[in-house]
Amino acid sequence: MSTQSGFRCGTVAIVGRPNVGKSTLLNHILGLKLSITSRKAQTTRHRLLGIHTTEDTQFLFVDTPGFQQKHVNALNRGLNKTVTQVLTEVDVVLFVIEPMHLGDADRKVLALLPKEKPVLLVVNKSDLMGDKGNLLPLIQDFDLEFPFAEIIPVSAKKSLNLDELLASVRTYLPEQDAIYGEDELTDRNERFLAAELLREKIFRLLGDEIPYSVAVEIEKFEQEGNLRRIHAAIIVDKESQKPMLIGKGGEKLKRISSEARQDMEKLFDGKVWLETWVKVKGGWADDERALKSLGY
């Protein structure tokens, strides 16, 4: 198969501790909401491929879970394994940090980075630093700790410097044809994306009230023309957590469902009929069989 002259295509891992803006970065590069976001650690639990195709490049971004150092259970051990596995398979690594919050958690991820691959240090939220000179001491510190190929300040939320970031990443990708069609955005199906959008709303609307042991299981997904009928169970660990999700007169669950449905309709470009309910599965986050049935 002949390669289109000068075309590049390769995989790029986005890694970092929880809550540095990895998923926001992916969404702004893609120009749509594919990866879910919230301020809660462990929002991203799956390896998710985001495909960005331009005239001369196909970027295959792998959004990874934040490397977990708290809440040690079977779920988090699996998430950490995903991060370390991805690092061995990709062409380029983006190590995302925040300029104001550097600490042991960042350094633990730094210790996992492969020395034999190009690793770009992406300083997210750099717009919060004010004077660019404030970034220099930080960059010098990190430069001593790891041989970064490049250091690039960006603001994912404001889409600042993202074109420069892509131009840099492109130089490290192999010359080869595109692997996916130019209109493809992810390797995940709509069933998976629907579950993720619903889980995001739970994390966003309930904040710290609900612990990490919440999952979403799509029990039925049917499509009739442009209408999708989705039946989803929200799984909690304890009976006492059900009222928090349902709320007074079912108000909370209605809001979660309504906001998730709106996001699904945008992403799927069609009408969605969504039915949700809450189920209790005690200890699911430490049960290998339960994790497997939920896709972890």
Coordinates of all heavy atoms in Angstrom, one line a residue, residues 40 52 55 60 74 80 94 96 109 121 143 146 165-166 180 204-206 224 234 239 247-248 254 265:
K40 N -14.0 16.2 39.9 CA -13.8 15.0 40.7 C -12.7 14.1 40.1 O -12.7 13.9 38.9 CB -15.1 14.2 40.7 CG -15.3 13.5 42.0 CD -16.7 12.9 42.0 CE -17.0 12.0 43.1 NZ -17.2 12.6 44.4
H52 N -8.3 13.0 15.4 CA -8.3 14.4 14.8 C -7.6 14.3 13.5 O -6.4 14.0 13.5 CB -7.7 15.3 15.8 CG -7.6 16.7 15.3 ND1 -8.7 17.5 15.0 CD2 -6.5 17.6 15.0 CE1 -8.4 18.7 14.6 NE2 -7.0 18.7 14.6
E55 N -5.5 17.9 6.9 CA -5.1 17.6 5.5 C -3.9 16.7 5.4 O -3.8 15.8 4.5 CB -4.8 18.9 4.8 CG -6.0 19.5 4.2 CD -5.7 20.8 3.4 OE1 -4.6 21.0 3.0 OE2 -6.6 21.7 3.3
L60 N -4.1 10.4 16.7 CA -4.9 9.4 17.4 C -4.6 9.6 18.9 O -3.6 9.1 19.5 CB -4.6 8.0 17.0 CG -4.7 7.7 15.5 CD1 -4.2 6.3 15.2 CD2 -6.1 8.0 15.0
A74 N -9.7 -2.6 43.4 CA -9.5 -3.3 42.1 C -9.7 -2.3 40.9 O -9.0 -2.4 39.9 CB -10.4 -4.5 42.0
N80 N -4.8 2.3 36.8 CA -3.3 2.6 36.8 C -2.6 1.7 35.8 O -1.7 2.1 35.1 CB -2.7 2.4 38.2 CG -3.1 3.6 39.1 OD1 -3.7 4.6 38.7 ND2 -2.8 3.4 40.4
L94 N 2.1 13.2 25.8 CA 1.9 14.6 26.3 C 1.7 14.4 27.9 O 0.8 13.8 28.3 CB 0.6 15.2 25.7 CG 0.6 15.4 24.2 CD1 -0.7 16.1 23.8 CD2 1.8 16.1 23.7
V96 N 0.7 16.3 31.0 CA 0.0 17.5 31.3 C 0.1 17.9 32.8 O -0.1 17.0 33.6 CB -1.5 17.4 30.9 CG1 -2.2 18.7 31.1 CG2 -1.6 17.0 29.4
V109 N 3.9 10.4 38.4 CA 3.5 10.2 37.0 C 4.8 10.3 36.1 O 5.1 9.5 35.2 CB 2.4 11.1 36.5 CG1 2.0 10.7 35.0 CG2 1.2 11.0 37.3
L121 N 6.2 18.2 27.5 CA 5.6 18.8 28.7 C 4.6 19.8 28.3 O 4.9 20.8 27.7 CB 6.7 19.4 29.6 CG 6.2 20.0 30.9 CD1 5.5 19.0 31.9 CD2 7.3 20.7 31.7
D143 N 12.9 20.6 33.6 CA 13.9 20.2 32.6 C 15.0 19.4 33.2 O 15.6 18.6 32.6 CB 14.4 21.5 31.9 CG 14.5 21.4 30.4 OD1 14.0 20.4 29.9 OD2 15.0 22.3 29.8
F146 N 13.6 15.6 33.8 CA 13.3 14.7 32.7 C 13.7 15.3 31.4 O 13.6 16.5 31.2 CB 11.8 14.4 32.7 CG 11.4 13.3 31.8 CD1 11.3 12.0 32.3 CD2 11.1 13.5 30.5 CE1 11.0 10.9 31.4 CE2 10.7 12.5 29.6 CZ 10.6 11.2 30.1
L165 N 0.8 23.4 19.6 CA 1.0 22.0 20.2 C 0.8 20.9 19.1 O 1.7 20.1 19.1 CB -0.1 21.8 21.3 CG -0.1 20.4 22.0 CD1 1.2 20.1 22.7 CD2 -1.3 20.3 23.0
L166 N -0.2 21.0 18.3 CA -0.4 20.0 17.3 C 0.7 20.0 16.3 O 1.2 19.0 15.8 CB -1.7 20.3 16.5 CG -3.0 20.0 17.3 CD1 -4.2 20.4 16.5 CD2 -3.1 18.5 17.7
Y180 N -7.9 5.6 10.3 CA -9.4 5.8 10.4 C -9.9 6.7 9.3 O -9.1 7.5 8.7 CB -9.8 6.3 11.7 CG -9.5 5.4 12.9 CD1 -8.3 5.4 13.6 CD2 -10.5 4.4 13.3 CE1 -8.0 4.5 14.6 CE2 -10.2 3.6 14.3 CZ -9.0 3.6 15.0 OH -8.7 2.7 16.0
R204 N -20.8 15.7 38.2 CA -20.9 17.2 38.2 C -22.0 17.7 39.2 O -21.8 18.7 39.8 CB -21.1 17.7 36.8 CG -19.9 17.8 36.0 CD -20.2 18.3 34.6 NE -18.9 18.6 33.9 CZ -18.4 19.8 33.7 NH1 -19.0 20.8 34.2 NH2 -17.3 20.0 33.1
L205 N -23.1 17.0 39.1 CA -24.3 17.6 39.9 C -24.3 17.1 41.4 O -25.0 17.7 42.2 CB -25.6 17.2 39.2 CG -25.7 17.8 37.8 CD1 -27.0 17.2 37.1 CD2 -25.9 19.3 37.9
L206 N -23.6 16.1 41.7 CA -23.6 15.6 43.1 C -22.3 15.9 43.8 O -22.2 15.8 45.0 CB -23.9 14.1 43.1 CG -25.3 13.8 42.7 CD1 -25.5 12.3 42.7 CD2 -26.3 14.4 43.7
E224 N -34.2 3.7 16.3 CA -35.3 3.7 15.3 C -35.2 5.0 14.5 O -35.5 6.1 15.0 CB -36.7 3.7 16.0 CG -36.9 2.5 16.9 CD -38.0 2.8 17.9 OE1 -38.9 3.7 17.7 OE2 -38.1 2.0 18.9
I234 N -28.1 3.3 37.1 CA -27.0 3.9 37.8 C -26.7 3.0 39.0 O -27.6 2.8 39.8 CB -27.4 5.4 38.3 CG1 -27.6 6.3 37.0 CG2 -26.3 6.0 39.1 CD1 -28.3 7.6 37.4
E239 N -27.3 1.0 49.9 CA -28.7 1.4 49.8 C -28.9 2.9 50.2 O -29.7 3.6 49.7 CB -29.5 0.5 50.8 CG -31.0 0.6 50.6 CD -31.5 0.0 49.2 OE1 -31.0 -1.1 48.8 OE2 -32.4 0.6 48.6
G247 N -33.0 12.2 44.9 CA -33.5 13.5 45.4 C -34.9 13.5 45.8 O -35.7 12.6 45.5
K248 N -35.3 14.7 46.3 CA -36.7 14.8 46.8 C -37.7 14.8 45.6 O -37.5 15.5 44.6 CB -36.8 16.2 47.5 CG -38.0 16.3 48.4 CD -38.0 17.6 49.1 CE -39.3 17.8 49.9 NZ -39.4 19.1 50.5
K254 N -34.0 13.4 37.8 CA -34.6 14.0 36.6 C -33.6 15.0 36.0 O -33.4 15.1 34.8 CB -35.9 14.8 37.0 CG -37.1 14.0 36.9 CD -38.4 14.8 37.2 CE -39.5 13.9 37.7 NZ -40.4 14.6 38.7
E265 N -27.9 14.1 22.7 CA -28.5 14.6 21.5 C -27.5 15.4 20.6 O -27.5 15.3 19.4 CB -29.8 15.4 21.8 CG -30.9 14.5 22.3 CD -32.2 15.2 22.5 OE1 -32.3 16.4 22.7 OE2 -33.3 14.5 22.5

